[in-house]
């Protein structure tokens, strides 16, 4: 059994199941910090997540896929972001029935402020030494494409 103390002592490598549980716990804690920061800026987590997803222009249907929700739910999310001036919807040049969502300057600003306000996540990652940060980034770069594969 792997050591869960994090003391740096030699231990058996954790199983894939144990790693999945640890990653899930880190992800959940990160998401809680993200949601709390978004709320401090008047957005719910879905709205803030949508802002990140439209840093490059995205069709509404693709945005629904990125957010893991139904297209009808995306309409309400984008309506709110437009009302706040954080995003805009435009007809696609090739097919006017397709609506493209793009972040605005104020949307980029609020997204930056949300990221800055993620104090727990920032403190956690700031606690890592540069070589640990590089190793973690490398591991994420290795695993993420495998998780995103169809």
């Amino acid at each position: 059994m792997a050591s869960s103390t994090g003391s740096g002592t030699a231990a058996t490598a954790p199983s894939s199941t144990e790693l999945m549980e640890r990653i899930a716990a880190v992800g959940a804690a990160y998401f809680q910090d993200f949601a709390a920061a978004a709320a401090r800026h008047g957005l719910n987590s879905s709205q803030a997540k949508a802002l990140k997803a439209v840093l490059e222009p995205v069709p509404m249907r693709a945005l629904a896929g990125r957010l893991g929700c139904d297209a009808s739910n995306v309409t309400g999310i984008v309506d709110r972001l437009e009302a706040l001036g954080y995003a805009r919807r435009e007809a696609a040049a090739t097919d006017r029935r397709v609506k493209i969502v793009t972040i605005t300057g104020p949307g980029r600003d609020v997204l930056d402020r949300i990221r800055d306000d993620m104090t727990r996540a920032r403190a956690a990652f700031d606690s890592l030494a540069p070589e640990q940060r590089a190793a973690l980034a490398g591991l994420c770069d290795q695993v993420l494409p495998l998780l995103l594969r169809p």
Side-chain angles (χ1 to χ4, degrees):
M1 188 72 160
S3 169
S4 61
T5 64
S7 64
T9 60
T12 305
S15 69
S16 292
T17 300
E18 290 169 324
L19 283 175
M20 289 187 299
E21 291 300 321
R22 289 179 183 178
I23 293 295
V26 169
Y30 178 91
F31 185 74
Q32 288 173 351
D33 196 29
F34 176 77
R40 288 191 292 274
H41 293 277
L43 299 176
N44 65 37
S45 58
S46 295
Q47 293 160 348
K49 191 174 167 185
L51 278 180
K52 184 181 180 313
V54 299
L55 285 169
E56 297 295 326
V58 176
M60 292 279 285
R61 186 169 304 280
L63 179 56
R66 290 181 185 185
L67 298 178
C69 66
D70 189 74
S72 63
N73 293 340
V74 171
T75 300
I77 292 169
V78 174
D79 285 348
R80 170 81 170 134
L81 294 175
E82 276 190 312
L84 292 169
Y86 295 158
R88 70 177 167 272
R89 223 177 325 215
E90 299 172 345
T94 56
D95 184 346
R96 300 205 46 85
R97 296 171 297 177
V98 175
K99 301 301 179 203
I100 307 294
V101 184
T102 307
I103 195 169
T104 63
R108 286 181 191 275
D109 292 343
V110 76
L111 186 57
D112 287 343
R113 289 193 307 272
I114 289 168
R115 289 174 175 155
D116 289 344
D117 285 351
M118 293 179 65
T119 55
R120 288 182 292 163
R122 190 164 301 283
F125 291 119
D126 285 348
S127 76
L128 299 175
E131 62 274 5
Q132 291 173 310
R133 292 164 71 112
L136 180 56
L139 292 170
C140 289
D141 291 346
Q142 180 181 345
V143 172
L144 186 58
L146 300 172
L147 289 170
L148 295 175
R149 256 192 331 210

